[in-house]
Amino acid sequence: MRRLPILLLYLLLLPLAAMAAAPPLMLAGQWRDGPDVSRYWVSEKLDGVRARWDGQALWTRGGHRIEPPPGFTRNWPAQPLDGELWGGRGRFEHASAIVRMHPPDEAGWRGLRLMVFDLPGHAGTFDQRLAALRVLLARAAAPSLELIPQRRIADTTALHRHLTATVAAGGEGLMLHHQDNYYAAGRSDGLLKLKPWDDAEARVIAHLPGKGKYAGLLGALLVERADGARFRIGSGLKDAQRMAPPPVGSLVTYRYNGLTTNGLPRFARFLRVRDDDSP
C-alpha cells in the first residue's frame, strides 16, 4: 500500500516533465532608420514558431517541450540552436498546429524545418557566430535544419527596396542583426525587426458582442497591454474566429499603424493567437 501514494505523486508530476524554465532567448527591438545599415546582417523575418534546441530537445520560448517525430532531429548538433520552426510563407497557423499536435503528425512534420538564425552558446560576436553556424550546419547535413539566408545591404534606400520586394513575395518583414552584437537574453538593441507596420501583443480580457452581420458572433476583442492600457480589436478576425474567439486570458498579436495622441495603437488589427507557449 505504501507504493500507492508514490504512484499517485508520480502521475501528478508527470505533466511537469514536459515543462522547464523559459529558455533565455534574445528578443528583437524595432528598427528605426538612422544607423549604418551596412554593419548589419539582414534576413527575412519568418512567420514561424520560435524554438530553442538545447542539444537534446526542442523547447518553445515559454519553456514547453516540443515533441517532433524521432527522426526529425536526427544528426542535429549537440550545440544549442536558436531558430523558427517554419512551414513556408503564410503558413503560421499550419506550422503552429503541427507543433502542438500530440502524438506528432509525421507527415505534417515533414513539411517543417528549423530555420536557424543564431548560436546562443557561442561567446563571439554575431559575425563570429554566423561563421560558426555555417560550418556546424554543413557538417550536420540534416535535411530538417537550415540556416536562414543572411545578406549585407549597402544603405537605407536599398533596405526599404528589399523590404518591399520581400513583402510583395509573401514575406512578413526583415530582421537586422548587428555584426558586433553578442548573444544575451532579453530585448536587444543589436537585433531589430523591420515591417511595413508595427506589431505587439496584448491579453484578451473580454469578448464584445457583434452587431449587424456579426450579430450573435464576436464583434471585437477587448485586450489589455502590459502597461494596463485597454482597447478593442475588431478587424482582422476571420469568421471562424468570431464563432470561436481566442479565449479570455490568451495572448494575441496585433498589427497597427503608429499610436494615437492618447498612446493607443492606431488601426489595431488582429493577426494571431500567440499559442507557441502551449504545444
Side-chain angles (χ1 to χ4, degrees):
M1 291 297 293
R2 291 180 180 178
R3 294 182 178 180
L4 184 57
I6 297 174
L7 178 60
L8 290 174
L9 180 62
Y10 171 78
L11 291 174
L12 287 170
L13 294 177
L14 186 59
L16 298 180
M19 296 182 63
L25 302 178
M26 181 156 56
L27 305 175
Q30 297 282 352
W31 170 267
R32 298 288 183 255
D33 290 346
D36 182 0
V37 176
S38 67
R39 298 181 65 79
Y40 290 79
W41 287 96
V42 181
S43 62
E44 181 175 338
K45 185 183 186 304
L46 300 184
D47 192 15
V49 176
R50 181 80 178 266
R52 165 71 69 88
W53 170 251
D54 67 3
Q56 296 181 318
L58 273 169
W59 302 88
T60 72
R61 65 178 181 176
H64 292 263
R65 177 79 173 264
I66 300 173
E67 297 285 357
F72 187 79
T73 58
R74 185 177 296 120
N75 297 330
W76 283 23
Q79 292 90 332
L81 303 172
D82 202 352
E84 296 264 339
L85 286 166
W86 191 61
R89 287 171 170 166
R91 291 175 61 80
F92 169 80
E93 291 181 3
H94 170 77
S96 178
I98 294 298
V99 168
R100 289 182 287 112
M101 196 172 294
H102 184 78
D105 177 0
E106 293 196 26
W109 275 93
R110 283 196 289 271
L112 301 184
R113 289 162 289 165
L114 182 68
M115 302 296 292
V116 182
F117 51 74
D118 217 328
L119 193 60
H122 193 291
T125 64
F126 186 66
D127 258 354
Q128 295 166 333
R129 299 199 304 277
L130 183 57
L133 265 176
R134 286 172 173 152
V135 173
L136 185 65
L137 297 191
R139 287 176 179 170
S144 54
L145 276 182
E146 186 174 334
L147 181 63
I148 292 179
Q150 302 277 355
R151 61 183 292 178
R152 296 284 198 176
I153 291 182
D155 54 39
T156 301
T157 300
L159 175 68
H160 284 278
R161 281 202 302 265
H162 184 45
L163 172 66
T164 299
T166 300
V167 173
E172 189 177 75
L174 302 176
M175 300 296 298
L176 295 95
H177 207 150
H178 197 282
Q179 61 188 23
D180 299 327
N181 194 42
Y182 291 92
Y183 197 100
R187 199 71 59 185
S188 173
D189 292 335
L191 177 65
L192 303 167
K193 58 185 175 182
L194 172 62
K195 303 168 76 171
W197 55 80
D198 294 311
D199 63 26
E201 294 171 345
R203 188 78 58 184
V204 176
I205 60 171
H207 297 152
L208 305 179
K211 300 177 181 178
K213 69 175 182 178
Y214 294 132
L217 303 174
L218 174 74
L221 298 170
L222 182 61
V223 301
E224 183 176 272
R225 287 191 316 213
D227 64 0
R230 295 184 175 187
F231 54 95
R232 300 182 180 198
I233 301 176
S235 61
L237 293 154
K238 299 176 182 177
D239 287 347
Q241 291 163 334
R242 293 186 185 277
M243 289 187 285
V248 170
S250 62
L251 201 61
V252 299
T253 302
Y254 63 94
R255 56 183 280 189
Y256 63 102
N257 298 93
L259 300 174
T260 67
T261 54
N262 295 324
L264 296 178
R266 181 182 287 112
F267 308 126
R269 182 178 178 85
F270 176 84
L271 277 181
R272 65 179 69 93
V273 178
R274 211 206 83 182
D275 55 5
D276 56 338
D277 280 350
S278 55

